[in-house]
Amino acid sequence: MYLIAEHPYVKVQREVNSVEQVNIEHERVIYLYNDRIVTQHRVFSIEDVLDLSYRAIGGEGGLLYLHTTGGLYTYTVKTSPQKFINAFKDYWKK
């Protein structure tokens, strides 16, 4: 197992009390290895990953979509993950 690429993503936790709603951002990293993709709480075997895609939202950042045989997983990113996606696609062309 060796690291090919990594990209930061954000998990937003919303807390609501009687006065206000507070958004807490947790900085995390998604890792692409030669045999798996790893996030904070999930590990995806590379054979189960069908595709990666990205949709920009607003002026900055957007959503990174991880398409797997087990479903679609979405990760909020603050910068374009295009290099991460290209690394995945280049690796699978071999």
Side-chain angles (χ1 to χ4, degrees), residues 30-47:
I30 184 170
Y31 299 96
L32 170 63
Y33 293 97
N34 63 308
D35 63 344
R36 66 189 71 173
I37 293 180
V38 179
T39 66
Q40 178 81 22
H41 296 288
R42 291 190 174 92
V43 177
F44 303 95
S45 172
I46 205 75
E47 290 84 18

